[in-house]
Amino acid sequence: MTPSLFRQIDPPRRLLMGPGPINVHPRVLRAMSADMLGQFDPEMTGYMNETMSLYRQVFMTENRWTFLVDGTARAGIEAAMVSLVEPGSRVLIVRAGRFGLLLSEIAERLGADIRTLDLLWGEVATPDQIEEALKEHRPQVFACIHGDTSTTMAQPLEGIGALCRKYDVLSYVDATATLGGVPVCVDQWEIDVVSGGLQKCMGGPPGSAPITISNRAAEFIMSRRHVEAGIRGADQTDGQRSRIPSNYFDLAMIMDYWSEKRLNHHTEATTMLYGAREAARVVLEEGLEARFARHRNASGALIAGLRGMGLSIFGDDAHRMANVTGVWIPDGVNGEAIRSVMRDDFGIEIGTAFGPLAGRIWRIGTMGYNACKPNVLTTLGALEAALVSEGFACSRGVAVDAAREAWR
Ligand SMILES: *Cc1c(COP(=O)(O)O)cnc(C)c1O
């Protein structure tokens, strides 16, 4: 028997209203269908420089070192951690959800001396708590998550970079979930390294991790540079610090690659670069402020609708992310059955949850291209119908009316 060729890929139409990935902006998909260029073709290096400039605007920073790490958002996280954290050095990590745990897991693999500020899932740290922990532990690196999709909460970061500088600590923030939908003010917050992804509010596919690095962090990372013997230039000597224990995620080498030197490292993921560049163009064309307002509006309308239906929202209003909303699954309702009805009858995906929140909340995303009125109303209508069919008592039509009312 000849092996099957299977079917051509032709995914069913889905409205992705979960915590990511989301439906990709058509302009991004179109950009990604363009043909390859050689990686040192001036047209390609021009695109690379333009991408750096576009992401400086998205990150609201002047940082020279603003570029892409090839891989999903986790590649940006891992590149930041492996480049900032030396073996045996002390790292302070805020852990208030799944992604904070990921940071400490990565730091553990790096042989770091890990100190944690542990909070309940859904809580955020106050500046005082962070300062106390910096004073107590005296770390070399501070790391936290901005918006953690596992809890739907956003850690306030105003003043946190300055606190880290006061104690001579390098700071890292994972802003994957918030970048392009909620303000990520890298320079204003004085955070040294911030990384993101495309598949949340940036409206792109997973597979590229924009990152930005302050001069002082770049200097530190460059001091860990040990160039491959075969490509070392005559003027290059190795740095004074321990070598970064990863080749692919060595930010010193990746900076050399994105610099005018264009020292060969990996082959830039051409198609992902086209996508990341177009995603940033779409974001900036809309305007950051308008985009933030659209995300606030979409989640505000969603919340009004959910509450109108008699459901309770997870977490406190003050720290909620404006792009993913957690909602308590009502007693007696099977959360997975509702998700199946949403998917099979309406073609809509909403998210489940992890860890202590597994089976207790759904997570509904209003991100990027999907953060619009028709999608919010359609999702609420479908959720209401699914809940009614599973025996949950709510008065019909109230949710959609409340959301339409709330939409300004
Ligand atoms: C979604 C998300 C990621 C995703 O990482 P991937 O490698 O792209 O799956 C990382 N960090 C946070 C905070 C997220 O919300």
Side-chain angles (χ1 to χ4, degrees):
M1 216 177 77
T2 49
S4 170
L5 285 178
F6 306 108
R7 288 174 299 127
Q8 182 181 339
I9 289 199
D10 184 20
R13 271 177 61 184
R14 295 267 193 265
L15 178 57
L16 300 177
M17 300 295 281
I22 57 145
N23 298 92
V24 174
H25 195 291
R27 268 174 54 185
V28 175
L29 290 176
R30 280 200 292 275
M32 293 179 76
S33 65
D35 201 359
M36 297 303 102
L37 283 169
Q39 60 171 334
F40 299 114
D41 188 308
E43 190 71 18
M44 180 65 186
T45 53
Y47 290 160
M48 289 172 77
N49 291 344
E50 289 161 7
T51 302
M52 293 175 92
S53 165
L54 291 165
Y55 277 92
R56 281 186 200 110
Q57 299 168 65
V58 172
F59 278 117
M60 296 189 261
T61 181
E62 304 281 326
N63 285 342
R64 171 183 181 205
W65 297 114
T66 304
F67 51 91
L68 306 176
V69 175
D70 290 348
T72 66
R74 193 175 293 229
I77 300 171
E78 191 129 10
M81 293 294 283
V82 77
S83 301
L84 289 175
V85 177
E86 290 190 285
S89 70
R90 194 171 290 168
V91 193
L92 173 64
I93 296 170
V94 180
R95 300 195 304 186
R98 179 180 186 221
F99 289 102
L101 291 169
L102 172 66
L103 294 181
S104 59
E105 197 262 6
I106 294 172
E108 201 179 305
R109 288 172 192 255
L110 296 173
D113 171 9
I114 301 169
R115 308 298 167 92
T116 59
L117 176 49
D118 286 312
L119 304 167
L120 290 175
W121 283 41
E123 287 182 358
V124 296
T126 63
D128 284 349
Q129 279 176 305
I130 292 174
E131 178 155 22
E132 279 309 307
L134 288 170
K135 267 203 275 205
E136 183 187 340
H137 299 296
R138 291 300 179 142
Q140 273 89 55
V141 176
F142 168 82
C144 75
I145 309 296
H146 183 212
D148 195 319
T149 39
S150 71
T151 65
T152 72
M153 293 295 128
Q155 170 64 47
L157 291 171
E158 185 77 55
I160 300 306
L163 270 181
C164 288
R165 282 167 198 229
K166 178 171 163 195
Y167 294 96
D168 198 22
V169 174
L170 288 168
S171 53
Y172 165 66
V173 167
D174 171 11
T176 302
T178 42
L179 189 69
V182 175
V184 177
C185 316
V186 173
D187 283 3
Q188 188 191 320
W189 296 340
E190 298 181 84
I191 305 292
D192 288 303
V193 180
V194 181
S195 70
L198 299 189
Q199 77 268 32
K200 310 274 168 83
C201 300
M202 290 300 299
S208 181
I211 193 167
T212 187
I213 304 170
S214 70
N215 285 337
R216 70 179 204 132
E219 211 168 283
F220 173 82
I221 293 166
M222 283 301 188
S223 74
R224 300 187 68 193
R225 177 170 61 183
H226 293 243
V227 183
E228 276 175 87
I231 62 162
R232 188 197 310 261
D235 61 330
Q236 283 178 303
T237 51
D238 282 345
Q240 297 307 301
R241 289 180 179 273
S242 70
R243 186 179 203 177
I244 294 168
S246 163
N247 175 296
Y248 191 70
F249 293 130
D250 184 328
L251 284 177
M253 293 173 80
I254 302 176
M255 285 191 272
D256 277 343
Y257 176 56
W258 282 79
S259 79
E260 293 309 312
K261 292 187 231 164
R262 301 272 170 220
L263 288 189
N264 193 23
H265 182 245
H266 59 293
T267 309
E268 181 50 23
T270 319
T271 304
M272 288 313 305
L273 179 122
Y274 296 166
R277 181 179 174 284
E278 191 62 12
R281 275 172 33 79
V282 170
V283 166
L284 296 168
E285 213 173 273
E286 178 175 3
L288 289 176
E289 286 310 321
R291 201 169 170 93
F292 301 152
R294 177 161 64 81
H295 281 81
R296 278 196 305 272
N297 230 344
S299 61
L302 177 73
I303 288 169
L306 294 168
R307 285 188 171 141
M309 207 184 286
L311 299 175
S312 304
I313 307 299
F314 172 78
D316 68 304
D317 286 335
H319 300 113
R320 204 183 299 299
M321 280 156 83
N323 56 311
V324 189
T325 300
V327 51
W328 291 103
I329 298 170
D331 284 343
V333 168
N334 177 342
E336 284 310 293
I338 297 291
R339 290 202 330 122
S340 299
V341 173
M342 296 278 286
R343 185 190 59 227
D344 298 339
D345 286 356
F346 297 91
I348 298 175
E349 178 179 286
I350 61 168
T352 167
F354 302 112
L357 299 174
R360 302 177 66 206
I361 65 168
W362 294 298
R363 292 175 303 150
I364 305 181
T366 42
M367 296 195 272
Y369 187 54
N370 279 349
C372 62
K373 193 173 181 180
N375 289 353
V376 169
L377 299 183
T378 304
T379 303
L380 285 168
L383 180 60
E384 183 188 275
L387 280 166
V388 168
S389 74
E390 289 291 308
F392 177 73
C394 65
S395 34
R396 316 264 334 225
V398 176
V400 168
D401 287 349
R404 289 181 73 193
E405 179 78 15
W407 194 282
R408 277 168 306 230

